[in-house]
Amino acid sequence: MAVEACYIPKTLEEALEIRKETGARPLAGGTDMMVQTARGTGIAPVFPYPVMVISNLRELKGIHRDEDGTVVIGALCTPSEIASSPLVPYHVAAAASRMGAVALRNCATIGGNIGNASPKGDLPQPLILLDAEVELSSPDGVRTVLLDDFIKGSKKTDLHDDEIITAVRIPEVRATHLFYHKVGTRRANAISKLSLSCLALVEDGVVRDFRASTGAAGPKVRRSRDAENIIIGLRLEEIPDNIGRFTDAWNAIISPHAMPEWRRAGTRRMLTYFLEKLSSGAEPGIIV
């Protein structure tokens, strides 16, 4: 591996100073950066910028729950750690468990998956569904940004030149019915072709909350609050008469590029399936 300069800080404080002074890019799992700089089979990649190896920083590891119910995931947590943690919400754990092969799940990081800002990234999709926030640290302090605002588009984020992603914060979300599905070319080690997360909170036969997010269907993960509001407030028996109106509203957020009709049709089928299960009185829990 060839690199312009390589730094290995021992603490987060040191890493932040290096980042500010040199602009070095953080490198942890490297599963995205190695691919982006690859030059061919058997040829070492070349990084045309300074790199800072942060995989040993203990401050960025671990998963815990705050007193208000917020789940905090350190930026260096791997998909394997996330998938196996009882603290992590269902959708995020499900997405983590389906990321690539076992080797990748053991070395990739949630911070890297977010920072790469790929429309096909597995973790941003359920995180945006849950209104997760990303914690960004610099020598001047910490700021927290809604992940949906942090990711601006394909490979574009709101990360400042002196910042490092240090954690992801997931607020507590009440739900009675959960759904997650990923479409890939094979069951393992597959890049997402389309993914969808849904949740609903049903109380006394009324939908009190409804959310859906789709990945790999545009330049970034998408939600439609306007479409969600069509379902929120309905009684379960009223859902079937509104599915068409809901899916029509959802179509508007699917990108007109990259097989839009296939993605619209696939997303529409998954959304319809979840809503039909909901309206039929499915027992609370995971819809499969």
Side-chain angles (χ1 to χ4, degrees):
M1 181 178 74
V3 62
E4 180 182 309
C6 183
Y7 305 90
I8 307 178
K10 295 180 181 179
T11 66
L12 176 58
E13 182 180 5
E14 182 184 357
L16 293 174
E17 289 300 328
I18 292 172
R19 173 82 167 136
K20 182 176 182 178
E21 294 173 5
T22 70
R25 298 192 186 184
L27 172 65
T31 54
D32 288 314
M33 290 175 67
M34 295 295 280
V35 171
Q36 292 164 2
T37 56
R39 296 189 297 161
T41 303
I43 304 175
V46 173
F47 291 98
Y49 41 75
V51 168
M52 175 173 56
V53 179
I54 62 170
S55 53
N56 64 324
L57 298 184
R58 289 181 294 178
E59 299 99 320
L60 308 189
K61 298 182 180 182
I63 302 172
H64 69 272
R65 179 182 284 128
D66 285 347
E67 291 183 0
D68 65 355
T70 298
V71 174
V72 183
I73 304 176
L76 293 183
C77 285
T78 67
S80 292
E81 293 169 332
I82 293 167
S84 62
S85 172
L87 299 178
V88 174
Y90 164 73
H91 296 92
V92 181
S97 72
R98 291 164 174 77
M99 281 182 66
V102 174
L104 184 143
R105 293 197 293 272
N106 286 335
C107 64
T109 66
I110 187 171
N113 199 235
I114 289 171
N116 189 47
S118 168
K120 299 181 179 181
D122 289 277
L123 295 177
Q125 187 257 88
L127 289 170
I128 286 176
L129 176 87
L130 299 172
D131 289 331
E133 297 178 323
V134 58
E135 181 183 283
L136 307 165
S137 297
S138 74
D140 298 323
V142 179
R143 69 183 180 110
T144 304
V145 182
L146 195 67
L147 182 58
D148 201 4
D149 294 331
F150 175 73
I151 297 178
K152 298 296 186 183
S154 179
K155 307 293 183 179
K156 298 177 181 178
T157 71
D158 186 35
L159 186 70
H160 295 174
D161 292 340
D162 62 347
E163 290 180 329
I164 294 175
I165 297 173
T166 48
V168 176
R169 305 181 63 85
I170 309 172
E172 188 173 22
V173 176
R174 294 175 60 225
T176 53
H177 298 78
L178 311 168
F179 177 82
Y180 174 82
H181 190 69
K182 173 181 175 178
V183 179
T185 52
R186 49 191 180 272
R187 291 183 63 85
N189 205 22
I191 295 175
S192 176
K193 298 291 186 183
L194 186 66
S195 64
L196 181 79
S197 289
C198 298
L199 67 80
L201 174 64
V202 178
E203 294 177 328
D204 300 323
V206 177
V207 182
R208 304 297 183 186
D209 192 10
F210 179 86
R211 305 183 189 187
S213 62
T214 183
K220 61 172 285 185
V221 173
R222 298 300 303 273
R223 278 181 66 186
S224 173
R225 270 69 170 184
D226 290 340
E228 291 171 357
N229 286 332
I230 292 173
I231 303 299
I232 295 172
L234 295 179
R235 298 197 62 81
L236 293 181
E237 61 269 22
E238 295 174 325
I239 290 177
D241 291 337
N242 287 276
I243 290 177
R245 188 160 67 98
F246 170 78
T247 54
D248 286 346
W250 192 270
N251 279 346
I253 72 169
I254 303 295
S255 171
H257 307 290
M259 301 190 299
E261 290 308 315
W262 179 84
R263 285 184 163 82
R264 285 176 181 146
T267 304
R268 186 163 53 246
R269 283 195 295 270
M270 289 189 284
L271 289 166
T272 299
Y273 175 80
F274 179 71
L275 288 169
E276 287 179 344
K277 286 286 187 179
L278 199 62
S279 65
S280 67
E283 289 294 320
I286 299 168
I287 303 296
V288 295

